[in-house]
Amino acid sequence: MREPIGIMGAGWVGLVTAACYADLGHEVIVRDVEAMRIADLEAGRVPIHEPGLGAVLDRNRDRLRFTTRAADVFHRAQLVFVCVGTPPTYSGDADLSAVWQVVDELPDSTKRLVLIMKSTVPSGTGERVRAWLDGRGLSNVAYVSNPEFLAEGTALADFTHPDRIVVGSFRNEEGDRVAKLHEELGAPIAIEVTDHRGATRSRVEPDERAERAVRSSERERVVLRPRLRLGPVGLAGPGRAVGRDDVAPAVEVRGIARLHRQPALLRPRRD
């Protein structure tokens, strides 16, 4: 029996993620604040365009549920992916209001939960969320970063045949739990753990495939702006145009992108 998965946000990233995990055999519950969007999905209408997505959602209808209630997600799943939009503000910073809404909606309970960040967020977001969780006494809620490297038009193939999986966490067991979701995809999994002192430890599994992926990535031409830089746990991932002073589109952890030497190609798309 595969572990149930929760998805917060039924936009482009959220629906692709939900469809692909359902296709892998997981029960998936998807929450969105827009009641009309949820009604469309329940009726079998796909509110976004992505080649093949409708067919994957349709063949997995028995594994998919849609709701407007955050409590439904936290009740049914321990692994909850945050896939909400973080559009740029007038100042160019990411609007994290939807992310913080999800965090605010976490239940006051002792149930073990893993909050998995796929939304595009600035460097350091993970540390701020972790501090907020600790301040509220939610030591039972883990925070893990798991960026998406999807492109519009090929998102399903990008998910099911990735060249690498990146996971950042504060504890080994939390990162390993998220990494386990991706084992059958056969891609190298880069895991970085940042402890309470800010020290990081990185590893890649399996080493042979990772080495080939790094060599392959070094042959690719990826153009990034010169001011991009890495930061601690928090992900500023692919998915929007990057300004001169933006942080790097790399995991919320410092070493993974250096380890892979393969930053994601920046392509504008919808959340």
Side-chain angles (χ1 to χ4, degrees):
M1 185 70 177
R2 296 177 186 269
E3 195 161 6
I5 286 175
I7 305 287
M8 304 297 274
W12 184 78
V13 173
L15 287 180
V16 170
T17 302
C20 290
Y21 278 121
D23 217 33
L24 290 172
H26 295 269
E27 290 187 6
V28 181
I29 180 167
V30 183
R31 183 269 184 125
D32 200 274
V33 296
E34 295 186 19
M36 185 69 72
R37 172 163 294 203
I38 292 300
D40 284 341
L41 289 165
E42 289 178 327
R45 297 185 293 269
V46 183
I48 64 172
H49 175 70
E50 178 61 37
L53 179 59
V56 179
L57 290 171
D58 187 61
R59 71 171 175 252
N60 288 287
R61 289 186 66 82
D62 291 344
R63 296 194 186 106
L64 287 160
R65 283 194 57 199
F66 302 98
T67 182
T68 58
R69 288 168 38 87
D72 293 342
V73 176
F74 295 128
H75 175 71
R76 295 181 65 88
Q78 291 187 1
L79 299 176
V80 178
F81 286 85
V82 181
C83 303
V84 297
T86 55
T89 63
Y90 286 112
S91 65
D93 298 324
D95 181 355
L96 300 184
S97 57
V99 171
W100 286 109
Q101 179 179 345
V102 172
V103 176
D104 287 339
E105 290 171 329
L106 286 163
D108 290 317
S109 72
T110 58
K111 179 181 178 179
R112 300 291 298 178
L113 292 171
V114 181
L115 207 61
I116 308 164
M117 187 62 64
K118 275 196 177 292
S119 295
T120 302
V121 296
S123 175
T125 299
E127 291 167 330
R128 290 191 290 273
V129 172
R130 181 70 265 164
W132 187 95
L133 293 172
D134 291 341
R136 191 174 150 189
L138 294 179
S139 59
N140 56 299
V141 180
Y143 180 96
V144 175
S145 176
N146 176 221
E148 51 87 8
F149 300 102
L150 310 177
E152 287 191 37
T154 60
L156 298 178
D158 292 340
F159 188 101
T160 55
H161 299 88
D163 56 15
R164 79 282 199 205
I165 303 294
V166 178
V167 176
S169 68
F170 290 102
R171 294 192 297 184
N172 281 315
E173 56 268 30
E174 298 159 358
D176 290 345
R177 190 173 178 186
V178 175
K180 188 176 179 61
L181 292 174
H182 305 91
E183 285 180 345
E184 66 188 274
L185 298 180
I189 303 175
I191 305 171
E192 182 163 300
V193 179
T194 303
D195 65 22
H196 67 282
R197 299 182 303 275
T200 60
R201 301 181 305 280
S202 304
R203 72 182 192 275
V204 181
E205 303 173 349
D207 292 339
E208 296 82 5
R209 288 193 56 129
E211 185 178 350
R212 288 197 298 271
V214 171
R215 287 201 301 265
S216 175
S217 71
E218 289 173 340
R219 292 194 294 268
E220 296 179 5
R221 294 186 62 194
V222 180
V223 180
L224 297 176
R225 292 179 182 267
R227 289 290 299 277
L228 298 182
R229 62 188 186 279
L230 290 173
V233 177
L235 170 69
R240 67 180 177 88
V242 175
R244 181 175 299 275
D245 295 315
D246 281 349
V247 295
V251 283
E252 293 200 83
V253 288
R254 289 177 283 269
I256 294 294
R258 292 199 300 271
L259 183 63
H260 281 271
R261 305 177 192 173
Q262 187 177 9
L265 194 61
L266 302 181
R267 306 178 188 179
R269 58 153 174 77
R270 300 179 299 273
D271 280 305

